[in-house]
């Protein structure tokens, strides 16, 4: 906030008034901050009006509906090894989610991409059905439970059962 005040104070009074008016209009039209956040938002709006805020704009991919930055974040969410056994769901660019057991609980580990959210919703729907259909045959066997979940989702979402490291 100090930087914005210093920059505004260094301006000629007519320019300072125009900058402050534009910053106030920006807050009223686009931000409408809570009172506790108003000073910080006004400082940002002043710096924005002075051209002191650098930012990058990105286009949304028409197929994935993600920007390159969102895709990069999604890819990083799905990087790394997961406990074995697990069920891995693949998208066009790699994994979009996993289902595995950790600490005695089933973990639904999905990225925030539209595809990841869609598959996670399908998994949440089927996770309660699968135990009634398949789990009774082999009580407590996580591989069989994962196999049953994969079978329930076949045709709509491709899943790969991973039962050994490096598979």
């Amino acid at each position: 906030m100090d930087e914005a005040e210093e920059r505004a104070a260094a301006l000629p009074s007519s320019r300072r008034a125009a900058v402050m008016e534009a910053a106030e209009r920006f807050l009223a039209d686009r931000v409408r901050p809570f009172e506790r956040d108003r000073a910080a938002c006004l400082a940002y709006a002043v710096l924005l009006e002075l051209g002191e805020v650098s930012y990058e704009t990105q286009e949304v991919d028409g197929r994935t509906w993600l920007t390159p930055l969102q895709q990069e974040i999604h890819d990083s969410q799905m990087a790394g090894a997961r406990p074995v056994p697990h069920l891995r769901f693949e998208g066009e660019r790699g994994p979009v989610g996993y289902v595995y057991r950790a600490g005695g609980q089933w973990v639904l580990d999905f990225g925030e991409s539209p595809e990841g959210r869609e598959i996670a919703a399908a998994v949440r729907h089927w996770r309660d059905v699968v135990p009634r259909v398949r789990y009774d045959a082999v009580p407590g066997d996580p591989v069989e439970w994962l196999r049953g979940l994969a079978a329930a989702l076949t045709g709509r979402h491709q899943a790969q059962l991973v039962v050994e490291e490096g598979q």
Side-chain angles (χ1 to χ4, degrees):
M1 290 188 277
D2 294 338
E3 182 180 351
E5 290 173 0
E6 289 172 14
R7 302 261 182 175
L11 296 171
S13 62
S14 62
R15 173 83 171 116
R16 182 175 44 246
V19 166
M20 294 306 292
E21 182 181 316
E24 290 285 356
R25 194 170 44 252
F26 176 79
L27 285 187
D29 294 346
R30 300 200 49 204
V31 180
R32 295 186 294 270
F34 292 114
E35 192 55 41
R36 69 177 184 265
D37 301 326
R38 192 173 195 305
C41 291
L42 182 60
Y44 177 80
V46 166
L47 292 174
L48 186 64
E49 185 64 27
L50 293 173
E52 298 292 326
V53 176
S54 62
Y55 57 92
E56 178 183 338
T57 59
Q58 296 184 343
E59 296 294 319
V60 173
D61 181 287
R63 275 188 2 254
T64 64
W65 295 105
L66 300 173
T67 66
L69 177 60
Q70 289 171 317
Q71 188 62 55
E72 185 180 320
I73 291 168
H74 162 72
D75 292 346
S76 72
Q77 289 173 329
M78 295 292 100
R82 300 306 195 272
V84 174
H86 67 255
L87 201 54
R88 180 175 59 227
F89 294 89
E90 295 288 333
E92 289 183 25
R93 294 175 43 111
V96 296
Y98 300 87
V99 177
Y100 54 86
R101 248 173 114 72
Q105 299 289 324
W106 286 104
V107 176
L108 307 183
D109 181 8
F110 286 86
E112 298 172 7
S113 71
E115 189 175 22
R117 288 192 305 266
E118 178 186 337
I119 296 171
V123 168
R124 278 191 290 280
H125 169 77
W126 283 103
R127 74 176 172 193
D128 296 329
V129 175
V130 169
R132 291 192 299 267
V133 175
R134 295 282 313 258
Y135 204 55
D136 292 338
V138 187
D141 186 344
V143 172
E144 284 303 310
W145 189 88
L146 290 169
R147 190 171 280 128
L149 181 59
L153 296 168
T154 296
R156 179 118 170 113
H157 305 291
Q158 292 302 317
Q160 178 184 2
L161 179 61
V162 178
V163 293
E164 294 180 17
E165 290 288 331
Q167 241 187 339

